[in-house]
Amino acid sequence: MRGDTKMIKRIGLILTVSIIMFLTVFGLSTKLSFAAELKKINGETPSGIPLNEMEEKIDQYVSKYLDKTTPGAAIAVVKDGQIILSKGYGYADVEKQISVDPSKTVFEWGSISKLFTWTSAMQLVEQGKLDLDEDIKTYLPSDFAKKLNFQQTVTMRDLMNHAAGFGDYAFNTIAFSKDGLFPLEEALLLDKSKQYYKVGTASSYSNYGASLAGYVVECISKQPFHDYEREHLFNVLEMNNTTGNTTFDDNKKLLETKAKGYLPNPEGGFILGNWSYVSHYPAGSINGTVEDLAKYAIAITPEKGQKSPLFDNSDTLETMFSPSYSLDGEMVGTAHGFFEYVGEYRTIGHGGNTATFSSQFAIVPEERFVIVILTNASAEMDILFGVQELLIGKKHTESKVPYLKLPSSNEVDGKYVPFQRQEGNFLEFANYQNLYTVSATNKNEITMSLGQYKGTYVQTKPYYYELVKENFPVFRNAYPILQFKMEEGKVKQIIVGHGMDLSELLPDRTIPVLIASVLVLLSTTLYFLIAPLILLILKFKNRKKQLELEDKRFNFYYSMLILCGTITVLNNLICITRIMMNKFRTFAEVKPHLLLNYPLLVCTVIAAFFSIKYMRKIVSSKKRKVFYFLTITLLTLLFALLIGWNFFIVV
């Protein structure tokens, strides 16, 4: 009996060990299944890395930045119609230590969503329901089209090319709760970007334009855009872990596996941020996994001669990937909404950012090679652009230039402002405080800088400069080539492409004007913050002094002038500070500050009128008169500054 018991224990121990070994080996082989499968794949990445070494190279690169630029990331690589790598790095939820799972973890895709808007539009083109070169008002409800009040004709091609004349509009782009959302039609009328430059003459990135394009699709298809893309894109590709509905109403289960979003902490680490809710949902509302986005990548890179499951014929996809906008034919441009990137191979794609997520999607059509990268941190750039460069490669610019005679770089020296600026609202002032500076460093070399960030460029053709060195990744992705458009020996525009063109400073926004504006801002702020204290001190010192009636009245209106100036300064400083602290403010939050400027101006005019009236009736010292006229002068300059920089525009 005792021997049987020992035998049973031994058998049990052997079985237990065997099971543990089996599970260990099985689990390990499951983790390495992609790597094992990868070794069977021949070939190399466009940059020349053998495919069987690719995962190791990616791991080495990502390890340098993980936990520094983002807490988590998911990367998928597609080659010849199959996913050859799908991997999660770091944490989807730092607090709960939940790891990123490429098949389950849901990320915000940001502006990669626009690719689905352009794909939807091309489906309607294929069906003969949409003409890319027709005025979009043809497809919009007449009442809505009238309210848009565009000064120039806009086509779907213009919207795809980000060349519809729109500036930027910073408000209402992202809300942090469902309560901040507006219906798409209402959002388009509420958040109109100013159409301030001639259509087709510049590339200026526009969320508004993409949102308007989605509404055109909505009107033609007669169904909400997020329903259209679910039915005609997601369902077709079995992207079951993806939604374009910003409230997740059509797929609530995804909320269970959605990653937390984070902001970099200046002191190190990350701060938990907010998820983004997007009223302009065709421009950036899709949430999904990296493997679902890889399914889309597979669908738009079919084998030559084969059609995509998203289109009825192969010509449509070829058209979508063909260049649709480039001002000179040599610069990188736009391919029906897909941005072209500089490199040894023609590469197209798109990036994305929300309040706390960043993403990158890049295709090399010739190689049927696609990189998909999703991260859960705001404005991550090192992994996004670095992995793309690692796998696709970059164009190496020689410092030698083939031209014997090139114009001097001094000709392009100067300050420039993006076309994508807050034209027509008070944030325009902030745009002009962060100008791009181009400085000639020698005859054929320039440096372009934005604050502390710099890129060095070499002139390889007349007025055509290529990036050779930089201290910030965005230069490689957004500003790889600069072409200066000259008119009468003066730079009119820097052609960059993919929504990033820069313009000369306008006549009323020149450097002297900007310097004068800043000086007025500083002097009026300093004066009207100190003046009330001086008034109180003087009032305390002269409290026993008997004054004539006219003196009392003058003092009252003079005090009123000071008070109006102080409140005006504080009101607008608070307005600007609120925007700086949270760039995703709604216009409704800052509108009261702008409205308050009107009664303050009226009160100032009234106080000025009566103070002048009583000033004539009293005997004043020279010092008193100087301070009074200084107050009047600074108030005049303050309100002139606010009017000139759109602080009275409330629509």
Side-chain angles (χ1 to χ4, degrees):
M1 185 77 169
R2 197 172 288 173
D4 291 342
T5 303
K6 286 184 178 180
M7 182 64 71
I8 290 170
K9 286 182 177 179
R10 286 177 183 173
I11 293 171
L13 181 61
I14 291 168
L15 285 172
T16 301
V17 172
S18 299
I19 289 169
I20 291 171
M21 289 179 67
F22 172 77
L23 289 174
T24 302
V25 173
F26 179 76
L28 185 61
S29 66
T30 300
K31 288 180 182 177
L32 297 179
S33 61
F34 266 120
E37 186 179 340
L38 189 60
K39 288 177 181 177
K40 298 174 185 176
I41 299 174
N42 296 319
E44 58 184 29
T45 69
S47 64
I49 298 172
L51 293 180
N52 60 3
E53 298 176 14
M54 180 183 68
E55 182 176 11
E56 182 183 354
K57 296 289 187 185
I58 294 174
D59 290 350
Q60 290 172 356
Y61 183 85
V62 171
S63 66
K64 292 191 239 175
Y65 298 101
L66 197 64
D67 295 329
K68 296 181 180 68
T69 61
T70 182
I75 298 176
V77 179
V78 170
K79 171 66 175 166
D80 294 333
Q82 61 177 314
I83 299 174
I84 60 171
L85 176 71
S86 176
K87 195 163 185 177
Y89 297 86
Y91 294 110
D93 187 324
V94 175
E95 292 73 24
K96 295 181 179 178
Q97 297 284 284
I98 299 174
S99 298
V100 172
D101 184 330
S103 64
K104 294 180 181 178
T105 304
V106 172
F107 292 81
E108 294 174 1
W109 295 358
S111 288
I112 288 178
S113 306
K114 291 179 174 68
L115 301 183
F116 291 80
T117 301
W118 311 132
T119 303
S120 300
M122 291 306 295
Q123 286 181 332
L124 297 178
V125 170
E126 183 180 68
Q127 297 164 25
K129 297 178 181 178
L130 172 64
D131 184 336
L132 292 180
D133 299 307
E134 182 68 55
D135 188 339
I136 59 168
K137 290 182 179 179
T138 305
Y139 307 106
L140 300 173
S142 57
D143 288 347
F144 176 84
K146 287 177 184 176
K147 291 175 184 176
L148 287 178
N149 194 30
F150 291 157
Q151 301 304 307
Q152 305 174 69
T153 297
V154 174
T155 68
M156 180 61 75
R157 192 185 302 277
D158 295 324
L159 298 178
M160 287 177 158
N161 292 335
H162 295 271
F166 299 134
D168 201 6
Y169 188 84
F171 303 105
N172 307 332
T173 53
I174 286 176
F176 292 139
S177 73
K178 296 179 184 179
D179 296 337
L181 292 172
F182 295 93
L184 181 57
E185 181 176 336
E186 185 178 342
L188 286 166
L189 293 176
L190 186 66
D191 308 328
K192 280 191 295 185
S193 295
K194 185 175 180 180
Q195 194 182 35
Y196 77 93
Y197 67 90
K198 187 178 178 182
V199 172
T201 62
S203 181
S204 172
Y205 190 77
S206 175
N207 285 304
Y208 182 82
S211 182
L212 184 57
Y215 186 60
V216 171
V217 172
E218 187 170 296
C219 292
I220 294 172
S221 65
K222 301 191 183 326
Q223 61 183 142
F225 179 76
H226 50 70
D227 288 345
Y228 178 92
E229 66 181 349
R230 184 181 69 245
E231 179 182 342
H232 298 280
L233 285 85
F234 303 154
N235 289 352
V236 171
L237 302 180
E238 297 183 358
M239 295 169 63
N240 301 320
N241 293 314
T242 298
T243 180
N245 189 316
T246 194
T247 60
F248 286 75
D249 287 343
D250 60 347
N251 202 343
K252 294 284 189 186
K253 286 179 63 178
L254 297 184
L255 289 169
E256 298 171 10
T257 55
K258 181 172 177 178
K260 300 294 185 184
Y262 295 89
L263 299 164
N265 187 341
E267 298 175 2
F270 299 92
I271 302 167
L272 181 63
N274 296 289
W275 286 343
S276 298
Y277 296 86
V278 186
S279 295
H280 292 270
Y281 55 84
S285 68
I286 296 181
N287 286 256
T289 64
V290 75
E291 289 190 0
D292 266 14
L293 189 47
K295 290 178 182 178
Y296 172 71
I298 291 170
I300 59 175
T301 54
E303 194 173 352
K304 191 170 183 180
Q306 300 297 312
K307 67 177 185 177
S308 165
L310 296 175
F311 300 111
D312 290 331
N313 62 69
S314 58
D315 291 344
T316 307
L317 184 62
E318 288 179 19
T319 299
M320 186 167 75
F321 283 176
S322 66
S324 58
Y325 178 85
S326 177
L327 284 182
D328 75 339
E330 293 188 35
M331 293 290 293
V332 290
T334 307
H336 298 86
F338 289 73
F339 290 140
E340 295 181 316
Y341 299 120
V342 171
E344 297 297 337
Y345 289 84
R346 181 175 184 258
T347 305
I348 58 175
H350 213 290
N353 285 282
T354 61
T356 53
F357 289 80
S358 308
S359 57
Q360 186 68 13
F361 183 86
I363 313 166
V364 182
E366 182 184 342
E367 295 289 301
R368 297 180 65 206
F369 187 89
V370 188
I371 306 167
V372 184
I373 310 169
L374 306 177
T375 72
N376 58 335
S378 169
E380 204 291 325
M381 294 183 189
D382 291 285
I383 291 176
L384 298 184
F385 301 154
V387 171
Q388 177 174 323
E389 188 175 294
L390 175 72
L391 301 185
I392 295 177
K394 64 178 181 179
K395 187 176 181 181
H396 298 285
T397 303
E398 300 290 339
S399 25
K400 282 195 206 174
V401 291
Y403 285 83
L404 295 176
K405 189 173 182 182
L406 290 168
S408 171
S409 294
N410 291 320
E411 292 185 37
V412 301
D413 207 285
K415 303 276 188 182
Y416 301 92
V417 64
F419 275 94
Q420 186 200 6
R421 57 180 179 263
Q422 306 291 325
E423 191 76 23
N425 66 64
F426 73 94
L427 287 182
E428 185 181 347
F429 185 73
N431 288 146
Y432 279 89
Q433 305 314 305
N434 293 288
L435 299 175
Y436 287 75
T437 302
V438 172
S439 305
T441 52
N442 64 43
K443 186 178 183 303
N444 292 318
E445 187 177 283
I446 60 171
T447 296
M448 185 170 81
S449 58
L450 179 63
Q452 61 182 328
Y453 304 118
K454 296 182 179 181
T456 301
Y457 296 79
V458 169
Q459 186 176 202
T460 56
K461 290 183 288 187
Y463 305 111
Y464 187 98
Y465 290 79
E466 298 186 46
L467 181 70
V468 292
K469 185 173 64 174
E470 92 303 311
N471 67 353
F472 193 49
V474 76
F475 282 96
R476 299 199 300 270
N477 189 264
Y479 301 99
I481 298 175
L482 308 176
Q483 182 173 6
F484 293 83
K485 183 180 178 182
M486 309 295 291
E487 287 185 15
E488 299 178 356
K490 181 182 176 185
V491 179
K492 299 297 289 184
Q493 179 178 343
I494 303 179
I495 302 170
V496 182
H498 47 248
M500 307 301 290
D501 285 6
L502 306 172
S503 80
E504 64 171 341
L505 302 185
L506 301 180
D508 60 342
R509 299 288 189 250
T510 58
I511 294 299
V513 172
L514 297 177
I515 292 173
S517 297
V518 171
L519 289 175
V520 168
L521 176 64
L522 293 176
S523 59
T524 54
T525 299
L526 187 65
Y527 182 82
F528 287 110
L529 291 181
I530 295 174
L533 298 176
I534 296 174
L535 277 181
L536 286 174
I537 292 170
L538 291 175
K539 187 172 183 179
F540 180 78
K541 285 179 66 176
N542 300 323
R543 65 187 184 280
K544 295 180 180 179
K545 190 175 182 179
Q546 295 295 321
L547 298 174
E548 297 291 331
L549 181 61
E550 283 78 8
D551 279 299
K552 289 182 179 179
R553 287 176 175 172
F554 170 77
N555 287 343
F556 171 78
Y557 287 111
Y558 181 49
S559 299
M560 188 174 167
L561 275 177
I562 296 290
L563 189 61
C564 284
T566 302
I567 294 174
T568 300
V569 165
L570 289 174
N571 174 53
N572 290 283
L573 285 179
I574 291 170
C575 180
I576 293 171
T577 302
R578 291 183 72 191
I579 292 293
M580 291 174 64
M581 291 177 65
N582 178 9
K583 65 181 179 179
F584 297 111
R585 294 278 181 193
T586 64
F587 188 70
E589 291 178 271
V590 299
K591 188 175 181 178
H593 294 285
L594 304 182
L595 287 172
L596 182 57
N597 286 332
Y598 284 91
L600 286 170
L601 176 58
V602 171
C603 288
T604 300
V605 171
I606 291 171
F609 173 80
F610 284 104
S611 61
I612 291 172
K613 175 182 176 181
Y614 290 110
M615 181 66 154
R616 293 173 178 174
K617 297 181 179 181
I618 62 174
V619 178
S620 295
S621 66
K622 188 175 181 181
K623 183 185 294 186
R624 192 181 192 188
K625 287 180 179 178
V626 167
F627 276 106
Y628 172 71
F629 285 112
L630 178 61
T631 301
I632 291 289
T633 301
L634 288 177
L635 275 171
T636 302
L637 291 173
L638 174 61
F639 280 103
L641 177 72
L642 294 175
I643 292 170
W645 286 101
N646 307 312
F647 280 77
F648 278 78
I649 294 180
V650 293
V651 292

